[in-house]
Amino acid sequence: MAELIVALDVQSRAEAVEKVKAIGDSVGFYKIGLELFTAEGPDVVKAVKDLGKKVFLDLKFHDIPRTVERAVRSGGKLGVDLMTIHSVGAKAMIQAARMAADEFGPNGPKILAVTVLTSLDQADLADVGIVGRTPAEQVMAMAKFATENGAHGLVCSPKEVGALSKALKAGTLFITPGVRPAGSAVGDQKRVATPAEAVRDGATHLVVGRPILAAEDPVAAAKAIRAEMGM
Ligand code: C5P
């Protein structure tokens, strides 16, 4: 059964708490990203956890192995459930992240790898020295590399999840943003899929922001998305 994660893309702890309370029991999982974490720090993670919710801390670590290991440990101590790293951080960094996560046992944080940011195209890859592979080939190669070295799962676009879920071992987590309920505003997302399509293609977690946060009735919007996911 896939899980719904709401992207808590707000600027303050107060606003975050207000949104989580307003959405109530219809959502049990929230993503805290760079914007909110940089503004409010670990306190906002604690506040969301104190409301009984799971937290996906999306800070996309990319540093030397020791630093990433210690940052994952700090996330584990906060009770974070999912955390992101960049797969280009290489083998030792991915393994270090996994090792730190494992210290917290089966309920500890799960490590998700970012393969290629969806904002990058072929020319951007060439600029950073990745030549001879299309973005899709690079996504597949990095997905295999990251999961073989300990990542529990991947952040991927709903357009990639079908191929990845077929190619990677059972039990791999696939977290897909860029999800839009049928007929809703796309915003700045370019390659979207509906909740039903994402789940059908193998997504285990859907990240949805504006279609819920900006809805007139966020509870109804969340419920409608859950229904589309078959929950
Ligand atoms: O509001 P919306 O549903 O577009 O929010 C999607 C969330 O997922 C945002 O927090 C955004 O930063 C994140 N995200 C994304 N596309 C990616 C990676 C992350 O939309 N490729």
PDB file of all heavy atoms in Angstrom, residues 7 9 31 118 155 177-180 189 207-211, ligand 1:
ATOM      1  N   ALA A   7       4.181  17.629   1.150  1.00  0.00           N
ATOM      2  CA  ALA A   7       5.359  18.501   1.184  1.00  0.00           C
ATOM      3  C   ALA A   7       4.994  19.756   1.970  1.00  0.00           C
ATOM      4  O   ALA A   7       4.161  20.548   1.527  1.00  0.00           O
ATOM      5  CB  ALA A   7       5.785  18.859  -0.236  1.00  0.00           C
ATOM      6  N   ASP A   9       5.840  22.751   2.368  1.00  0.00           N
ATOM      7  CA  ASP A   9       6.604  23.861   1.795  1.00  0.00           C
ATOM      8  C   ASP A   9       6.054  25.184   2.299  1.00  0.00           C
ATOM      9  O   ASP A   9       5.373  25.917   1.577  1.00  0.00           O
ATOM     10  CB  ASP A   9       6.569  23.788   0.256  1.00  0.00           C
ATOM     11  CG  ASP A   9       7.322  22.576  -0.263  1.00  0.00           C
ATOM     12  OD1 ASP A   9       8.284  22.146   0.411  1.00  0.00           O
ATOM     13  OD2 ASP A   9       6.961  22.043  -1.326  1.00  0.00           O
ATOM     14  N   LYS A  31       6.807  15.997   4.447  1.00  0.00           N
ATOM     15  CA  LYS A  31       8.178  16.258   3.987  1.00  0.00           C
ATOM     16  C   LYS A  31       8.616  17.647   4.429  1.00  0.00           C
ATOM     17  O   LYS A  31       7.935  18.640   4.152  1.00  0.00           O
ATOM     18  CB  LYS A  31       8.255  16.182   2.457  1.00  0.00           C
ATOM     19  CG  LYS A  31       9.658  16.510   1.928  1.00  0.00           C
ATOM     20  CD  LYS A  31       9.797  16.183   0.455  1.00  0.00           C
ATOM     21  CE  LYS A  31       9.377  17.299  -0.471  1.00  0.00           C
ATOM     22  NZ  LYS A  31      10.334  18.415  -0.528  1.00  0.00           N
ATOM     23  N   THR A 118      15.594  16.459 -11.432  1.00  0.00           N
ATOM     24  CA  THR A 118      14.746  16.592 -12.627  1.00  0.00           C
ATOM     25  C   THR A 118      14.926  17.958 -13.303  1.00  0.00           C
ATOM     26  O   THR A 118      14.466  18.159 -14.417  1.00  0.00           O
ATOM     27  CB  THR A 118      13.254  16.374 -12.293  1.00  0.00           C
ATOM     28  OG1 THR A 118      12.924  17.211 -11.183  1.00  0.00           O
ATOM     29  CG2 THR A 118      12.969  14.935 -11.962  1.00  0.00           C
ATOM     30  N   VAL A 155      14.409   8.713  -4.829  1.00  0.00           N
ATOM     31  CA  VAL A 155      13.438   9.743  -5.191  1.00  0.00           C
ATOM     32  C   VAL A 155      13.447   9.784  -6.709  1.00  0.00           C
ATOM     33  O   VAL A 155      14.515   9.871  -7.315  1.00  0.00           O
ATOM     34  CB  VAL A 155      13.843  11.124  -4.637  1.00  0.00           C
ATOM     35  CG1 VAL A 155      12.810  12.171  -5.017  1.00  0.00           C
ATOM     36  CG2 VAL A 155      14.018  11.069  -3.130  1.00  0.00           C
ATOM     37  N   PRO A 177       7.630  12.742  -6.359  1.00  0.00           N
ATOM     38  CA  PRO A 177       6.922  14.031  -6.410  1.00  0.00           C
ATOM     39  C   PRO A 177       6.382  14.214  -7.833  1.00  0.00           C
ATOM     40  O   PRO A 177       6.468  13.293  -8.650  1.00  0.00           O
ATOM     41  CB  PRO A 177       8.014  15.045  -6.088  1.00  0.00           C
ATOM     42  CG  PRO A 177       9.313  14.370  -6.367  1.00  0.00           C
ATOM     43  CD  PRO A 177       9.080  12.888  -6.517  1.00  0.00           C
ATOM     44  N   GLY A 178       5.843  15.381  -8.111  1.00  0.00           N
ATOM     45  CA  GLY A 178       5.313  15.624  -9.463  1.00  0.00           C
ATOM     46  C   GLY A 178       4.000  14.898  -9.682  1.00  0.00           C
ATOM     47  O   GLY A 178       3.679  14.475 -10.777  1.00  0.00           O
ATOM     48  N   VAL A 179       3.239  14.763  -8.609  1.00  0.00           N
ATOM     49  CA  VAL A 179       1.963  14.044  -8.697  1.00  0.00           C
ATOM     50  C   VAL A 179       0.826  15.069  -8.678  1.00  0.00           C
ATOM     51  O   VAL A 179       0.818  15.976  -7.854  1.00  0.00           O
ATOM     52  CB  VAL A 179       1.818  13.065  -7.519  1.00  0.00           C
ATOM     53  CG1 VAL A 179       0.470  12.387  -7.551  1.00  0.00           C
ATOM     54  CG2 VAL A 179       2.946  12.039  -7.549  1.00  0.00           C
ATOM     55  N   ARG A 180      -0.088  14.924  -9.598  1.00  0.00           N
ATOM     56  CA  ARG A 180      -1.232  15.842  -9.670  1.00  0.00           C
ATOM     57  C   ARG A 180      -2.504  15.038  -9.859  1.00  0.00           C
ATOM     58  O   ARG A 180      -2.585  14.225 -10.779  1.00  0.00           O
ATOM     59  CB  ARG A 180      -1.084  16.800 -10.867  1.00  0.00           C
ATOM     60  CG  ARG A 180      -0.009  17.860 -10.675  1.00  0.00           C
ATOM     61  CD  ARG A 180      -0.417  18.853  -9.613  1.00  0.00           C
ATOM     62  NE  ARG A 180       0.606  19.862  -9.344  1.00  0.00           N
ATOM     63  CZ  ARG A 180       1.567  19.750  -8.435  1.00  0.00           C
ATOM     64  NH1 ARG A 180       1.677  18.660  -7.705  1.00  0.00           N
ATOM     65  NH2 ARG A 180       2.426  20.727  -8.228  1.00  0.00           N
ATOM     66  N   GLN A 189       5.331  22.223 -12.361  1.00  0.00           N
ATOM     67  CA  GLN A 189       5.755  20.852 -12.654  1.00  0.00           C
ATOM     68  C   GLN A 189       5.571  20.580 -14.144  1.00  0.00           C
ATOM     69  O   GLN A 189       4.565  20.952 -14.730  1.00  0.00           O
ATOM     70  CB  GLN A 189       4.920  19.849 -11.840  1.00  0.00           C
ATOM     71  CG  GLN A 189       5.122  19.948 -10.337  1.00  0.00           C
ATOM     72  CD  GLN A 189       6.415  19.303  -9.868  1.00  0.00           C
ATOM     73  OE1 GLN A 189       7.238  18.882 -10.672  1.00  0.00           O
ATOM     74  NE2 GLN A 189       6.591  19.237  -8.559  1.00  0.00           N
ATOM     75  N   VAL A 207       4.696  12.201  -3.041  1.00  0.00           N
ATOM     76  CA  VAL A 207       4.870  13.502  -2.387  1.00  0.00           C
ATOM     77  C   VAL A 207       3.993  14.515  -3.105  1.00  0.00           C
ATOM     78  O   VAL A 207       4.148  14.734  -4.304  1.00  0.00           O
ATOM     79  CB  VAL A 207       6.341  13.976  -2.442  1.00  0.00           C
ATOM     80  CG1 VAL A 207       6.481  15.371  -1.847  1.00  0.00           C
ATOM     81  CG2 VAL A 207       7.247  13.002  -1.694  1.00  0.00           C
ATOM     82  N   VAL A 208       3.080  15.100  -2.365  1.00  0.00           N
ATOM     83  CA  VAL A 208       2.155  16.074  -2.952  1.00  0.00           C
ATOM     84  C   VAL A 208       2.177  17.331  -2.091  1.00  0.00           C
ATOM     85  O   VAL A 208       2.039  17.241  -0.864  1.00  0.00           O
ATOM     86  CB  VAL A 208       0.717  15.505  -3.002  1.00  0.00           C
ATOM     87  CG1 VAL A 208      -0.236  16.528  -3.609  1.00  0.00           C
ATOM     88  CG2 VAL A 208       0.672  14.202  -3.787  1.00  0.00           C
ATOM     89  N   GLY A 209       2.373  18.469  -2.735  1.00  0.00           N
ATOM     90  CA  GLY A 209       2.412  19.729  -1.996  1.00  0.00           C
ATOM     91  C   GLY A 209       1.189  20.572  -2.250  1.00  0.00           C
ATOM     92  O   GLY A 209       0.146  20.428  -1.601  1.00  0.00           O
ATOM     93  N   ARG A 210       1.311  21.460  -3.246  1.00  0.00           N
ATOM     94  CA  ARG A 210       0.278  22.471  -3.488  1.00  0.00           C
ATOM     95  C   ARG A 210      -1.140  21.943  -3.676  1.00  0.00           C
ATOM     96  O   ARG A 210      -2.082  22.592  -3.188  1.00  0.00           O
ATOM     97  CB  ARG A 210       0.713  23.356  -4.663  1.00  0.00           C
ATOM     98  CG  ARG A 210       1.830  24.310  -4.271  1.00  0.00           C
ATOM     99  CD  ARG A 210       2.578  24.846  -5.457  1.00  0.00           C
ATOM    100  NE  ARG A 210       3.392  23.813  -6.084  1.00  0.00           N
ATOM    101  CZ  ARG A 210       4.167  24.024  -7.144  1.00  0.00           C
ATOM    102  NH1 ARG A 210       4.224  25.223  -7.688  1.00  0.00           N
ATOM    103  NH2 ARG A 210       4.891  23.038  -7.653  1.00  0.00           N
ATOM    104  N   PRO A 211      -1.321  20.796  -4.350  1.00  0.00           N
ATOM    105  CA  PRO A 211      -2.721  20.347  -4.501  1.00  0.00           C
ATOM    106  C   PRO A 211      -3.428  20.124  -3.162  1.00  0.00           C
ATOM    107  O   PRO A 211      -4.661  20.161  -3.102  1.00  0.00           O
ATOM    108  CB  PRO A 211      -2.582  19.024  -5.268  1.00  0.00           C
ATOM    109  CG  PRO A 211      -1.309  19.177  -6.041  1.00  0.00           C
ATOM    110  CD  PRO A 211      -0.396  19.964  -5.126  1.00  0.00           C
TER     111      PRO A 211
HETATM  112  O1  C5P B   1       3.603  21.454  -4.693  1.00  0.00           O
HETATM  113  P1  C5P B   1       4.152  20.241  -5.359  1.00  0.00           P
HETATM  114  O2  C5P B   1       3.223  19.035  -5.285  1.00  0.00           O
HETATM  115  O3  C5P B   1       4.673  20.490  -6.754  1.00  0.00           O
HETATM  116  O4  C5P B   1       5.414  19.871  -4.443  1.00  0.00           O
HETATM  117  C1  C5P B   1       6.274  18.821  -4.762  1.00  0.00           C
HETATM  118  C2  C5P B   1       7.385  18.745  -3.750  1.00  0.00           C
HETATM  119  O5  C5P B   1       8.341  17.780  -4.196  1.00  0.00           O
HETATM  120  C3  C5P B   1       8.156  20.039  -3.548  1.00  0.00           C
HETATM  121  O6  C5P B   1       8.604  20.059  -2.191  1.00  0.00           O
HETATM  122  C4  C5P B   1       9.334  19.901  -4.477  1.00  0.00           C
HETATM  123  O7  C5P B   1      10.460  20.604  -4.059  1.00  0.00           O
HETATM  124  C5  C5P B   1       9.592  18.401  -4.431  1.00  0.00           C
HETATM  125  N1  C5P B   1      10.251  17.859  -5.618  1.00  0.00           N
HETATM  126  C6  C5P B   1       9.709  17.962  -6.886  1.00  0.00           C
HETATM  127  N2  C5P B   1      10.349  17.444  -7.958  1.00  0.00           N
HETATM  128  C7  C5P B   1      11.514  16.837  -7.807  1.00  0.00           C
HETATM  129  C8  C5P B   1      12.081  16.697  -6.547  1.00  0.00           C
HETATM  130  C9  C5P B   1      11.407  17.240  -5.463  1.00  0.00           C
HETATM  131  O8  C5P B   1       8.638  18.517  -7.050  1.00  0.00           O
HETATM  132  N3  C5P B   1      12.109  16.307  -8.851  1.00  0.00           N
END
